Amino acid sequence: MSTSKPSITFSRRDFMRTSSLASGGILIGFNLFTACKPEAKPPVDLASLNYNDFNAFIKIADNGAVTIFSPNPEIGQGVKTSMPMLIAEELDVSWDKVLVEQGVLDTNNYTRQVAGGSQSIRFGWEPLRQTGATARQMLVNAAAARWGVDPSECSTSEGVITNGAGETLGYGDVVKDAAGMEVPDKVKLKKKSEYKIIGKDTWNVDLDKIITGQPLFGLDYKKEGMLIASVIRPPAFGQKLDSYDESAAKQIEGVLDVVPFGDKIAVLAKDTWTAMKGKKALDVSWKDDSKLESTADHDRILTGLLDGKEFQTLRADGDVKKAFASADKVLERTYESPFLPHNCLEPMNFYADVRSDKIHLVGPIQTPERTAQEIAEKLGRNPDEIHLEMTRMGGGFGRRLYGDFAMEAAEISSKAGKPVKVVFSREDDMAAGIYRPAIKYRIKAAVKDGEVTAYHLKEASVNSNMYGLIPNFFPAGAIENYQVDVAKHDSNITTGAWRAPYTNFLAFAEQSFFDELAEMMEVDRVQLRLDLLQNVKGTTDERIQYSPERMEEVIKTAVEKSGWGNQPDGVYQGFVNYYCHNSHVAEVANVEIEDGMPVVKKITCVVDCGIVVNPLGAMNQIEGGVIDGVGHAMYGDFAFEKGVPQSGNFDSYRLIRINEAPEVEVHLMENDFSPTGLGEPTLPPAGGAVANALKAATGKRLYKQPFTKYPELLTVPEKEIIG
Amino acid sequence: MPTYQIKVNGTSRSVNVSEDTPLLWILRDHLDLVGAKYGCGIAQCGACTVHLDGQAVRSCVLTAAQVENKEITTIEGLSKDGSHPVQQAWKEVDVPQCGYCQAGQIMTAAAFLEKNPNPESQDIKSAMQGNLCRCASYSRIYKAVEKAASNMS
Ligand code: FES
Ligand code: FES
């Protein structure tokens, strides 16, 4: 068993550079993971930085004011607050004095400037604290030199250095000297008990701007001479442009240009409304290019894959076939999920100004590095000519990992010779999606002499299958004969990552299955899970990702906090536990009957994500993840008819609303483990918790999402069945 | 294009736009007030909420002609410095995740509490249900409206 920790080796001498600023103060540039290239020169001032060698900066002004340029894109997961907290903690400054800005970054030589996979804090934990501690040590060394004392006699607190005789110097007083100091190679990090910032509730750094409506997001970005581009794309997956007539569009007052590119056509205007109107006025005919697929096709094809024999085996322990042959009892169930669009509330948009000597890109993107690279390739340009600025993002959920909209902006700007911002309408955003693929799971388990002897999970998915470590999640290692097989159907419908890829549906399938398995075995459903975890303890299997001990703790805590088994009459509970994104989670859903209908009233959520950097932000992520999970399991549905998406806006695509959101009670486990993901891991278990609670309330099992699509399964029988 | 006199946040401004241009785009593209957000354009999400003579309305479905001679308040004009009790409550509770929906949420809550300063739990939920939050910060939106109500009374 290993709870995998990122191992990072670097020398501070290589990854930090300091320089005096013309405006006074010091600038400390550092690179999170990679050592600087040997030819790297220290940056001279902010204006001339090309950010090639550093991806994050600390600026300490003569007056002691500290500015931290946060390197990671902010999509709402709070890293723009929590990552600088790590630096400030070890720098030993007071958080109120710290100003945080989004790093305006060029995208060449740096690592993991990506928001995705709930990994920002996990990977930043060590290097960011090292950076703060190193900067602190240099300031201390500068002060000690001035006093003529040994640095070890000095201490710091809230930006002030004190020596043995009680004399003090502020950081601002010594920044000039510190800029010339050698970067120390070894620094000491604080103990958890010494933390003043980590573990304290810290408010979102953009809070004031958000509540007063200041421009922050890509959609708010403006630049002199910028035109808005509204783009028409093939209405069906599998179609391409045949011909078009732009005359009606061009007659609209304010439409300035119509720019075809690839199979798409952009209408340019000075303002958004005119551009959108112009797009609607285009007369376009499309022709079929490849097969136009419908949801009914996928349904049939995925079932065919599960019934078939063509699988790739991702993990196989023991011999499931043999175990099934000699089983006392076998349970087999199939679970089905639809495609899902991301529906970030801020629709996709991006600004591009492509000129002969340079390319300026601005907007909300989770993968600036890859996007700049792809644009450079497409336009046949040198990546060094690209300057990319990231804005705050109105949600990501995986959609902004893909740079298709930035590419569109670059292509249009390049063709039109003007700075343009591509703005998707909501309809564009839903129809030009990169969806969570439709998936079916079939799970089969064997029971012999009261033990689970085999577990066989099959996945049939559109375009891609579960990857990486997922086959090693629970119950891998807990059941002797265990196998994970996957198969896929290649489709022209674009699919990709969606908040907690694969596990967002797999958790529902597996946790519903365990519930039903416990019923078949006539054992306690929580005890079954605890018993299985016993088998993993002390395992030598390095592939196993989760920790049975930590999982056991969250399960026991959830039982206690939710009043599991002691619920009052009329409250029906569903239990799940899950591991993903390196965090361990247990959730209990409470369903009550109101007006004859089962209603999800509350979710108790217990999370072990190691040390919690910012509890206030963490709780927000957890609550949001749980409600998002409940919402999509209940309502999220997205179908295709001959390649055409059947939902276009929020009148035909249902998202959870405040009156449907359950209360969420959160408990964070206290321990000294390094921080792990929070943006995603509480979402996957929520659907399973709700399904198990609904079963308890209605006596009926749900095998397909979204639940509200099957109203006949959501009715309460006359004589209520206690689950 | 016709000219319209639009009174926003106490100041009268004149804009030249086609008569079907929604107030949302007049604010965002012509008056540089980007606090009201575009989320759906069909009155389904509430991101574009502003006040029209004190009522919370969806600016994406109102045209210039419909709002002429009326008092429009946007998030930028709700208070000079973010000091409106609803904004303050939003801060205290640390509501936003991505933040995109929040101006609309605040505007809906402010108009609602103006009329119903002592709301029941159910009132809060029905008043706020027209505003989507894709990040599902609903627990905190609810708490902040409660807090604002108690701060205002
Ligand atoms: S943009 Fe107006 S309600 Fe959605
Ligand atoms: S905070 Fe992201 S949509 Fe509400």
Side-chain angles (χ1 to χ4, degrees):
Chain A
M1 199 267 317
S2 75
T3 305
S4 73
K5 279 197 198 113
S7 72
I8 304 150
T9 47
F10 50 78
S11 153
R12 263 174 304 288
R13 232 188 278 278
D14 291 332
F15 89 103
M16 282 185 75
R17 288 286 187 281
T18 61
S19 68
S20 302
L21 292 171
S23 55
I26 179 180
L27 185 74
I28 303 163
F30 57 99
N31 193 300
L32 280 183
F33 306 108
T34 50
C36 305
K37 292 195 295 191
E39 65 272 24
K41 299 239 169 16
V44 185
D45 59 38
L46 276 179
S48 71
L49 284 174
N50 67 10
Y51 298 95
N52 275 354
D53 307 300
F54 305 99
N55 56 33
F57 299 85
I58 307 168
K59 190 174 94 177
I60 305 172
D62 282 343
N63 63 7
V66 175
T67 309
I68 295 173
F69 296 87
S70 168
N72 264 51
E74 178 63 89
I75 53 174
Q77 83 283 48
V79 293
K80 191 172 169 186
T81 307
S82 55
M83 294 184 83
M85 283 172 73
L86 300 180
I87 296 172
E89 178 69 66
E90 293 292 346
L91 184 58
D92 215 7
V93 289
S94 101
W95 181 250
D96 330 334
K97 303 269 157 59
V98 175
L99 187 74
V100 178
E101 288 186 20
Q102 176 73 57
V104 179
L105 301 183
D106 223 318
T107 51
N108 295 324
N109 302 304
Y110 59 87
T111 315
R112 215 185 149 75
Q113 194 187 349
V114 176
S118 295
Q119 302 296 337
S120 298
I121 279 291
R122 181 170 162 241
F123 286 110
W125 173 244
E126 193 68 27
L128 288 174
R129 287 181 307 139
Q130 293 273 4
T131 299
T134 305
R136 174 191 162 276
Q137 192 59 49
M138 289 166 73
L139 294 160
V140 168
N141 291 353
R146 188 168 314 167
W147 283 318
V149 301
D150 192 87
S152 65
E153 288 173 31
C154 304
S155 64
T156 56
S157 177
E158 307 209 333
V160 176
I161 308 157
T162 308
N163 67 17
E167 294 170 287
T168 61
L169 282 168
Y171 284 0
D173 302 328
V174 294
V175 286
K176 276 210 182 69
D177 303 357
M181 312 252 17
E182 204 175 303
V183 180
D185 212 25
K186 259 214 162 66
V187 291
K188 217 172 121 230
L189 295 178
K190 287 183 182 177
K191 289 202 284 288
K192 192 184 169 194
S193 58
E194 295 167 324
Y195 290 160
K196 294 179 196 157
I197 296 172
I198 294 172
K200 299 283 172 323
D201 284 346
T202 306
W203 274 249
N204 186 323
V205 295
D206 279 334
L207 200 45
D208 281 312
K209 289 182 188 156
I210 291 169
I211 62 159
T212 54
Q214 288 170 50
L216 276 174
F217 299 94
L219 210 71
D220 303 339
Y221 182 79
K222 279 186 189 161
K223 186 96 187 202
E224 193 59 40
M226 171 183 98
L227 299 180
I228 301 293
S230 186
V231 177
I232 192 161
R233 304 167 185 83
F237 288 93
Q239 283 188 323
K240 62 181 198 176
L241 184 61
D242 187 8
S243 63
Y244 70 99
D245 178 356
E246 60 184 28
S247 49
K250 282 211 154 155
Q251 262 160 32
I252 292 174
E253 196 178 356
V255 168
L256 298 175
D257 207 352
V258 174
V259 183
F261 63 107
D263 281 306
K264 308 171 188 174
I265 306 159
V267 175
L268 306 189
K270 271 197 187 130
D271 67 286
T272 317
W273 181 249
T274 306
M276 286 178 172
K277 255 184 12 186
K279 179 181 88 173
K280 282 195 194 120
L282 283 175
D283 185 6
V284 190
S285 51
W286 310 94
K287 61 180 176 215
D288 296 355
D289 184 40
S290 53
K291 191 170 182 313
L292 308 183
E293 300 181 359
S294 301
T295 292
D297 300 330
H298 297 135
D299 198 41
R300 196 174 22 82
I301 292 167
L302 295 182
T303 300
L305 287 172
L306 287 178
D307 291 342
K309 293 205 157 49
E310 301 290 309
F311 289 98
Q312 189 196 345
T313 298
L314 298 184
R315 179 172 170 136
D317 302 348
D319 187 338
V320 287
K321 255 208 188 112
K322 238 189 178 156
F324 284 121
S326 64
D328 298 337
K329 280 182 185 171
V330 170
L331 181 69
E332 184 181 69
R333 292 290 181 259
T334 304
Y335 303 85
E336 306 177 17
S337 71
F339 287 87
L340 288 181
H342 297 82
N343 269 326
C344 304
L345 204 56
E346 177 192 22
M348 296 307 111
N349 63 86
F350 223 82
Y351 169 88
D353 185 8
V354 179
R355 308 214 178 161
S356 57
D357 56 336
K358 60 176 191 281
I359 298 174
H360 187 203
L361 303 168
V362 185
I365 184 80
Q366 283 173 273
T367 49
E369 182 181 14
R370 192 175 71 205
T371 299
Q373 192 70 40
E374 285 170 0
I375 288 173
E377 258 163 48
K378 176 96 185 182
L379 301 181
R381 301 284 293 263
N382 184 336
D384 287 342
E385 297 168 357
I386 297 187
H387 178 72
L388 190 148
E389 287 175 47
M390 287 176 295
T391 58
R392 193 176 176 89
M393 298 175 218
F397 313 108
R399 180 62 181 91
R400 288 186 164 102
L401 291 168
Y402 307 98
D404 51 313
F405 41 89
M407 180 67 82
E408 288 183 355
E411 284 188 76
I412 299 164
S413 171
S414 162
K415 268 199 124 172
K418 294 185 186 94
V420 300
K421 182 162 75 171
V422 166
V423 173
F424 282 39
S425 65
R426 173 57 53 196
E427 289 80 4
D428 295 339
D429 197 85
M430 263 195 235
I434 299 192
Y435 311 98
R436 193 273 303 265
I439 297 187
K440 289 184 200 270
Y441 287 109
R442 183 167 293 162
I443 310 178
K444 189 174 173 187
V447 176
K448 191 174 172 61
D449 301 330
E451 299 278 329
V452 186
T453 51
Y455 187 89
H456 192 181
L457 170 70
K458 290 182 188 171
E459 176 185 88
S461 172
V462 175
N463 288 339
S464 58
N465 288 113
M466 69 162 90
Y467 49 82
L469 302 167
I470 296 174
N472 300 310
F473 292 178
F474 184 80
I479 299 166
E480 204 184 328
N481 304 292
Y482 173 92
Q483 189 163 328
V484 177
D485 289 338
V486 298
K488 66 184 167 79
H489 159 67
D490 290 319
S491 169
N492 51 21
I493 295 170
T494 46
T495 56
W498 192 100
R499 195 176 193 177
Y502 298 95
T503 59
N504 60 40
F505 183 68
L506 178 58
F508 154 78
E510 288 191 328
Q511 290 295 317
S512 301
F513 186 82
F514 278 116
D515 223 51
E516 198 167 352
L517 189 60
E519 286 169 7
M520 185 184 85
M521 295 169 71
E522 297 177 347
V523 297
D524 182 87
R525 47 198 95 221
V526 175
Q527 196 56 47
L528 171 65
R529 292 159 163 106
L530 289 170
D531 289 346
L532 287 170
L533 284 170
Q534 291 304 318
N535 304 340
V536 193
K537 287 186 179 168
T539 179
T540 50
D541 184 346
E542 284 286 322
R543 295 167 300 171
I544 299 293
Q545 294 302 301
Y546 61 97
S547 150
E549 291 83 5
R550 293 174 77 174
M551 189 61 98
E552 205 173 74
E553 285 305 308
V554 297
I555 290 176
K556 288 182 175 161
T557 309
V559 164
E560 181 202 322
K561 301 291 183 189
S562 68
W564 174 257
N566 297 311
Q567 64 272 33
D569 274 359
V571 176
Y572 302 91
Q573 293 189 309
F575 192 97
V576 296
N577 62 281
Y578 205 66
Y579 166 92
C580 63
H581 302 278
N582 309 95
S583 296
H584 299 75
V585 178
E587 292 178 20
V588 177
N590 288 12
V591 162
E592 295 175 29
I593 312 295
E594 282 177 1
D595 301 328
M597 289 293 290
V599 178
V600 187
K601 299 295 278 187
K602 182 177 170 180
I603 309 274
T604 306
C605 178
V606 179
V607 186
D608 175 355
C609 55
I611 291 174
V612 178
V613 178
N614 178 9
L616 188 66
M619 301 288 261
N620 214 350
Q621 286 300 299
I622 291 168
E623 292 160 1
V626 169
I627 297 173
D628 193 8
V630 173
H632 280 91
M634 293 289 292
Y635 312 118
D637 194 15
F638 200 75
F640 292 88
E641 199 50 56
K642 294 215 170 8
V644 180
Q646 298 300 293
S647 309
N649 206 323
F650 297 132
D651 53 350
S652 51
Y653 186 86
R654 185 167 172 192
L655 284 170
I656 193 166
R657 293 177 181 269
I658 194 168
N659 52 319
E660 296 150 342
E663 178 197 342
V664 182
E665 183 182 307
V666 181
H667 300 277
L668 296 166
M669 301 302 288
E670 284 246 6
N671 57 43
D672 290 345
F673 293 108
S674 298
T676 53
L678 260 184
E680 291 167 298
T682 65
L683 181 146
V690 169
N692 290 345
L694 286 169
K695 162 64 173 52
T698 66
K700 296 175 202 104
R701 279 251 163 238
L702 292 149
Y703 299 99
K704 300 178 187 184
Q705 287 187 2
F707 304 151
T708 49
K709 199 172 167 188
Y710 309 95
E712 69 282 5
L713 298 178
L714 297 174
T715 55
V716 187
E718 291 286 306
K719 201 163 97 325
E720 289 170 8
I721 298 167
I722 311 292
Chain B
M1 283 195 209
T3 304
Y4 297 91
Q5 289 299 320
I6 308 275
K7 206 169 166 202
V8 185
N9 300 331
T11 313
S12 191
R13 319 259 304 251
S14 75
V15 287
N16 281 318
V17 294
S18 65
E19 70 274 353
D20 56 353
T21 308
L23 173 60
L24 173 65
W25 297 112
I26 296 176
L27 295 169
R28 292 186 56 86
D29 287 354
H30 300 272
L31 300 177
D32 269 340
L33 294 166
V34 296
K37 301 293 190 228
Y38 168 76
C40 69
I42 57 165
Q44 289 288 320
C45 76
C48 65
T49 306
V50 299
H51 295 175
L52 189 67
D53 289 340
Q55 300 271 3
V57 293
R58 308 293 185 233
S59 65
C60 65
V61 290
L62 286 172
T63 58
Q66 289 171 300
V67 301
E68 253 194 326
N69 305 317
K70 300 206 169 142
E71 295 280 345
I72 298 158
T73 308
T74 69
I75 185 86
E76 292 92 339
L78 186 62
S79 68
K80 264 212 184 69
D81 46 7
S83 59
H84 186 283
V86 172
Q87 287 168 311
Q88 284 304 306
W90 242 252
K91 245 179 112 161
E92 264 179 74
V93 178
D94 195 42
V95 177
Q97 289 189 35
C98 82
Y100 192 77
C101 71
Q102 301 295 345
Q105 306 275 3
I106 291 170
M107 294 308 282
T108 300
F112 162 65
L113 291 175
E114 197 60 49
K115 287 200 186 61
N116 188 350
N118 297 304
E120 302 281 325
S121 151
Q122 216 35 58
D123 302 336
I124 297 178
K125 287 184 183 167
S126 47
M128 301 305 297
Q129 71 167 305
N131 287 71
L132 285 174
C133 175
R134 176 62 184 87
C135 303
S137 63
Y138 295 125
S139 314
R140 292 196 180 189
I141 291 169
Y142 179 83
K143 257 182 244 159
V145 178
E146 259 189 338
K147 181 150 273 172
S150 75
N151 289 354
M152 282 161 90
S153 60

